[in-house]
Amino acid sequence: MKRLALGLALFLAACAVFAQNDLQPLAVVKLNKSETITLRNLKTRVEMYQKQNGISSFTVDQKKDILAAIIDEKLVVQAAQKAGMSITDSQVNQYFLQSVSQQVGQQVTEAQFADIVKQQTGMSLDDFMKQQVGMNVTDYKAFLKNQLLAQQYVLSQKQNEIKTIAPTDEEIRTFYDLNKASFVWNDMMKLFLVIVPKDGKNNETAKTKADSLLADLKAKKLTYDKIKSNMANDKTYQGGDLIVSKTAQHAQQLGISYQELMELFGRDIGYISNLNETKDNFQFYAVRQKYSAKMLGLSDVVQPETTITVYDYIKSNLTQQKQSQFLITAVQDITKSLDTPQNVDRKKEGAALEKLLNW
């Protein structure tokens, strides 16, 4: 019994040593307030980058770079706060939802995303986020908040220069010539889709509503525009135009098989489908326009029913690339000017720091 007690005591003592070691300060950023970066903070960020990039470990030099990035981040955030800038929780939530909605392929709320994660992985949203980025939702949103605040500050400092960044006409045309094969239309069609969601209680009501809309459209008692305008007062259904191409993804979104989608592409303009029942709704669609596959020139629109040309699309993308490259340099310039002994107190350097980073 004494041996067990002694072993337990030694184990607890070892845990305390490790805990104290993790709390060792590596640097203190004090531009606007005093913020200590501990070894634990660095380990947390390293773990996050490992999970995001699928890397099992980083070298000591890479950990030094990550520590430098944390210092830079805190310097810029403190500079922004000192300048009176702030990011609201609602802005962070909006950015978070935009990010996860892109992953899902449709606009979702946080609760809906949590349900999707639970259905597909069996995990809670917190556990899923820890697996993906090394942080729970609350910590990840706090991280995003700092990133957005830092971005806001850098943009405010360099906004005049950013406005002047744009690709030349020659760069746009050269990009098109090098990537001409990727600027194509596949066979596409414009469908008018009407969806009547099931309410989970009395699905006959939803079916009756869908049948009525379909019958009135076929009998020309309703037009497509009237169906859309009626939605302002009738919340029991949704209707609108969408562009679909010959892909399994679009077939899935319509709730039909790929073969059925191919058959739909063989229909004439004006064709109206029968009522189709899915797990969540009743729906029908009408073929409004068809577009044949073709190579796109610089003056062609990127997608039917839009006004953005290939030239505009390339210009926008090259502008974003140039701005991103400029911002990387801008961040380095700004953090270099802020990283002074007055603003940063590095507690561990040289061999002492390398010894702590050798885990």
Side-chain angles (χ1 to χ4, degrees), residues 179-199:
N179 299 275
K180 189 180 296 185
S182 63
F183 290 102
V184 296
W185 271 1
N186 293 318
D187 287 331
M188 291 181 281
M189 67 168 55
K190 180 170 78 169
L191 293 180
F192 188 85
L193 176 66
V194 176
I195 295 175
V196 182
K198 295 178 178 178
D199 58 16

Side-chain angles (χ1 to χ4, degrees), residues 110-126:
E110 188 169 322
Q112 289 171 333
F113 183 61
D115 288 339
I116 292 172
V117 168
K118 188 69 175 179
Q119 292 171 8
Q120 295 185 358
T121 70
M123 302 169 67
S124 69
L125 185 54
D126 272 338

Side-chain angles (χ1 to χ4, degrees), residues 301-309 312:
V301 293
V302 175
Q303 182 173 314
E305 309 289 327
T306 67
T307 59
I308 299 173
T309 65
D312 295 332

Side-chain angles (χ1 to χ4, degrees), residues 281-295:
N281 56 60
F282 295 95
Q283 60 180 244
F284 61 88
Y285 34 82
V287 178
R288 300 197 66 187
Q289 190 56 268
K290 299 172 76 173
Y291 306 93
S292 299
K294 70 172 184 176
M295 297 287 296

Side-chain angles (χ1 to χ4, degrees), residues 18-33:
F18 281 119
Q20 291 172 0
N21 187 53
D22 275 1
L23 293 176
Q24 287 193 64
L26 302 180
V28 178
V29 178
K30 47 184 180 176
L31 185 153
N32 188 45
K33 61 182 180 180

Side-chain angles (χ1 to χ4, degrees), residues 110-151:
E110 188 169 322
Q112 289 171 333
F113 183 61
D115 288 339
I116 292 172
V117 168
K118 188 69 175 179
Q119 292 171 8
Q120 295 185 358
T121 70
M123 302 169 67
S124 69
L125 185 54
D126 272 338
D127 288 341
F128 176 77
M129 292 299 295
K130 286 178 183 177
Q131 183 187 73
Q132 296 296 310
V133 298
M135 291 180 283
N136 61 27
V137 175
T138 300
D139 290 342
Y140 184 64
K141 286 184 178 180
F143 169 75
L144 283 181
K145 192 170 190 175
N146 282 339
Q147 297 295 309
L148 292 172
L149 185 56
Q151 184 183 76

Side-chain angles (χ1 to χ4, degrees), residues 198-359:
K198 295 178 178 178
D199 58 16
K201 298 177 182 178
N202 184 4
N203 293 330
E204 281 301 315
T205 301
K207 184 177 185 303
T208 299
K209 178 67 176 182
D211 280 329
S212 174
L213 289 168
L214 177 58
D216 286 347
L217 181 64
K218 286 185 174 181
K220 297 185 179 181
K221 294 180 180 179
L222 276 177
T223 64
Y224 301 116
D225 289 339
K226 191 65 175 177
I227 290 176
K228 286 190 287 187
S229 64
N230 286 349
M231 288 192 297
N233 298 316
D234 189 345
K235 307 298 183 182
T236 61
Y237 73 93
Q238 298 101 42
D241 293 310
L242 71 158
I243 303 294
V244 299
S245 56
K246 291 180 179 179
T247 65
Q249 180 183 3
H250 278 153
Q252 184 179 14
Q253 289 175 354
L254 290 172
I256 61 179
S257 68
Y258 183 70
Q259 181 59 40
E260 288 172 319
L261 180 64
M262 292 302 96
E263 292 174 1
L264 185 58
F265 267 87
R267 300 291 187 177
D268 294 328
I269 295 173
Y271 167 79
I272 300 175
S273 75
N274 294 320
L275 191 65
N276 180 35
E277 180 178 2
T278 72
K279 183 182 72 171
D280 301 315
N281 56 60
F282 295 95
Q283 60 180 244
F284 61 88
Y285 34 82
V287 178
R288 300 197 66 187
Q289 190 56 268
K290 299 172 76 173
Y291 306 93
S292 299
K294 70 172 184 176
M295 297 287 296
L296 299 178
L298 281 168
S299 60
D300 286 322
V301 293
V302 175
Q303 182 173 314
E305 309 289 327
T306 67
T307 59
I308 299 173
T309 65
V310 172
Y311 188 94
D312 295 332
Y313 176 81
I314 295 173
K315 182 179 180 179
S316 176
N317 278 272
L318 288 181
T319 299
Q320 290 178 12
Q321 289 178 24
K322 284 177 171 285
Q323 288 178 342
S324 296
Q325 292 167 357
F326 173 81
L327 286 174
I328 291 172
T329 302
V331 168
Q332 293 171 345
D333 291 343
I334 290 173
T335 54
K336 185 177 180 180
S337 67
L338 296 175
D339 193 352
T340 65
Q342 181 181 356
N343 293 335
V344 183
D345 180 12
R346 287 173 167 79
K347 298 295 185 180
K348 299 292 182 181
E349 295 185 283
L353 176 61
E354 291 183 358
K355 182 178 180 181
L356 282 175
L357 301 187
N358 191 21
W359 79 79

